[in-house]
Amino acid sequence: MSSPTRVGVLLSGRGSNFLALHAATRDGRLPEVEIVQVLSNVEDAPGLEAARRLGLAAKAIPHRGVKRREHDRLMVAALREAEVEWVCLAGYMRLLTSYFVEAYSRRMLNIHPSLLPAFPGLSAQRQAWDYGVSVSGCTVHLVDEAMDSGPIVAQAAVDISDCAGPREVADRILEQEHRLYPQALSDVIRRRWSIQGRRLTFSS
Ligand code: GRF
């Protein structure tokens, strides 16, 4: 097998999607990936601590008091230093500048807890609950400069019709996020794909 693809994960919080990706690299679902760098804009992000406990390179690059573009430059420099080839955003709560998006153009994924384009932005699970939909889900997409935009790689629908509240919606969707993200990352790395307009199509 050729050497694994070097992946960097960016997170701002608890990092359960990062842990799901990491678990998949170790249990045979994602053997083609090595997570070589975890970065956060939040110094005390639990996900960063979890990465350190796993023995991974994990670093905080705080954004406070730093211009957005300059912060992105520091992030990209750290990713390049670690020779990161693909980036996975996993609860990274920052909009990226064009500088960052161009640096990892078509080599950066995000996961969002709704069936995009429904409910972009914050608290997507609560938005779905408040709207009263009976089906929501999660989306893995390539990252572009707009929020929760970019061509869709994979989606999973989740029946939320019998949920008791937004927390149960979030839990149910999160379970699918943990399954979908490793699968989608594996697909974009191993399979051939192309983009026409917004549509990403796998051809192998
Ligand atoms: C997830 O719901 C993800 O879809 C969204 O942010 C949340 C991050 O959760 N982008 P975690 O930090 O991965 O547990």
Side-chain angles (χ1 to χ4, degrees):
M1 199 176 87
S2 55
S3 55
T5 299
R6 299 173 69 81
V7 168
V9 178
L10 270 54
L11 54 83
S12 302
R14 68 189 162 182
S16 73
N17 276 288
F18 148 63
L19 288 169
L21 288 169
H22 181 263
T25 66
R26 297 291 161 95
D27 68 12
R29 280 175 298 148
L30 203 49
E32 59 275 32
V33 161
E34 187 183 356
I35 297 176
V36 295
Q37 183 71 66
V38 178
L39 293 178
S40 181
N41 60 317
V42 178
E43 268 169 302
D44 58 354
L48 211 49
E49 185 48 38
R52 290 196 184 105
R53 279 201 300 273
L54 288 165
L56 301 181
K59 181 153 99 175
I61 303 182
H63 64 271
R64 209 152 293 200
V66 186
K67 287 213 168 79
R68 192 173 286 276
R69 209 173 167 82
E70 178 55 21
H71 185 255
D72 277 3
R73 272 187 206 287
L74 295 171
M75 297 291 280
V76 169
L79 292 169
R80 286 189 174 143
E81 173 81 27
E83 296 177 38
V84 164
E85 298 165 281
W86 270 84
V87 175
C88 288
L89 307 184
Y92 184 61
M93 305 301 283
R94 304 268 296 164
L95 264 183
L96 303 186
T97 61
S98 56
Y99 172 79
F100 202 151
V101 173
E102 278 159 26
Y104 280 95
S105 167
R106 296 194 174 183
R107 289 182 297 135
M108 180 153 45
L109 295 176
N110 181 43
I111 187 155
H112 182 76
S114 76
L115 291 175
L116 289 170
F119 312 128
L122 291 176
S123 308
Q125 307 94 327
R126 172 167 277 285
Q127 291 185 56
W129 170 261
D130 288 348
Y131 200 93
V133 296
S134 55
V135 177
S136 190
C138 48
T139 303
V140 176
H141 62 90
L142 289 170
V143 174
D144 64 16
E145 278 162 55
M147 185 176 56
D148 302 325
S149 173
I152 289 169
V153 176
Q155 292 187 301
V158 177
D159 181 351
I160 60 166
S161 57
D162 61 345
C163 283
R167 179 168 300 191
E168 194 178 344
V169 171
D171 288 346
R172 219 176 263 190
I173 293 173
L174 193 63
E175 208 180 306
Q176 291 307 310
E177 292 183 45
H178 294 165
R179 186 189 58 76
L180 190 70
Y181 211 174
Q183 180 64 57
L185 178 59
S186 172
D187 283 345
V188 289
I189 286 173
R190 285 181 31 243
R191 300 174 65 186
R192 284 166 165 273
W193 50 270
S194 60
I195 296 174
Q196 271 100 33
R198 286 197 42 88
R199 183 174 300 280
L200 186 151
T201 309
F202 288 100
S203 53
S204 69

